[in-house]
Amino acid sequence: MRILLVEDDALLGDGVRAGLKQAGFAVDWTQDGLAAKLALETEAYDLIVLDLGLPKLSGTELLKWLRSSHFKVPVLVLTARDTVSDRVSGLNAGADDYLIKPFDLDELIARLNALLRRSAGLVTMTIQHSDIVLTPSTHHVSKDGQTIELSAREFTLLHELLLHVGRVQSREQLEQHLYGWGEEVESNSVEVHIHHLRKKLGSELIRTLRGVGYVIDKEDTSR
Ligand code: CA
């Protein structure tokens, strides 16, 4: 999952970025509203964490632009305790959730996972597909009741494919969820992670469409 973090406070931004990376997200961090707008115009994100008080272009203005441009990406707004009116205007402008500073990093991660589930139209805390169960909040995967150990990137890939069952995603699309800015993309890394996922979860789970991409097919419920 790839996150755009927009926060002009260097200390807070650095801490949040580190925490989110630790939790397995790929994070791009910008420190002003215009840089965030440029990033949104050129990259694909799964989530945005947005401070409202920003230089160059405020978070509220960025949100208004985002929604008027029909970006569907979920936005969690960060706001100071003393700016309740900011918070209200942020939510009116199209934020999906907000957190008041100072906040707990675990709380932020839990909220982001909830937004991801909601945006994928999933209401449960876990994603189940045949005998595989994935729990985003705890990064846990099991197959037939047995815990399966996955690396952070294998987990992210599986999560992304399971959120969009039946939809083919290209290697480039999947790579975007694995890497943030400045992180070197290892060649063939998607292929390698898919290979490992198949070894751990069964060769038939993820289907390759040669030259197109990868898909987890919808479960056949007719049987
Ligand atoms: Ca700020």
Side-chain angles (χ1 to χ4, degrees), residues 145-185:
Q146 301 291 308
T147 296
I148 307 289
E149 299 292 341
L150 298 183
S151 72
R153 285 190 170 140
E154 287 163 10
F155 183 92
T156 298
L157 264 188
L158 179 66
H159 191 189
E160 182 59 26
L161 288 166
L162 283 174
L163 281 174
H164 307 288
V165 162
R167 189 208 292 175
V168 181
Q169 301 192 72
S170 69
R171 180 167 55 81
E172 292 74 17
Q173 283 172 325
L174 291 171
E175 261 169 9
Q176 288 220 327
H177 296 282
L178 295 183
Y179 298 98
W181 289 336
E183 285 187 81
E184 204 179 325
V185 178

Side-chain angles (χ1 to χ4, degrees), residues 7-8 51 53:
E7 171 57 75
D8 61 320
D51 179 32

Side-chain angles (χ1 to χ4, degrees), residues 7-9 51-55 101:
E7 171 57 75
D8 61 320
D9 182 314
D51 179 32
L52 288 184
L54 291 169
K101 298 177 188 177

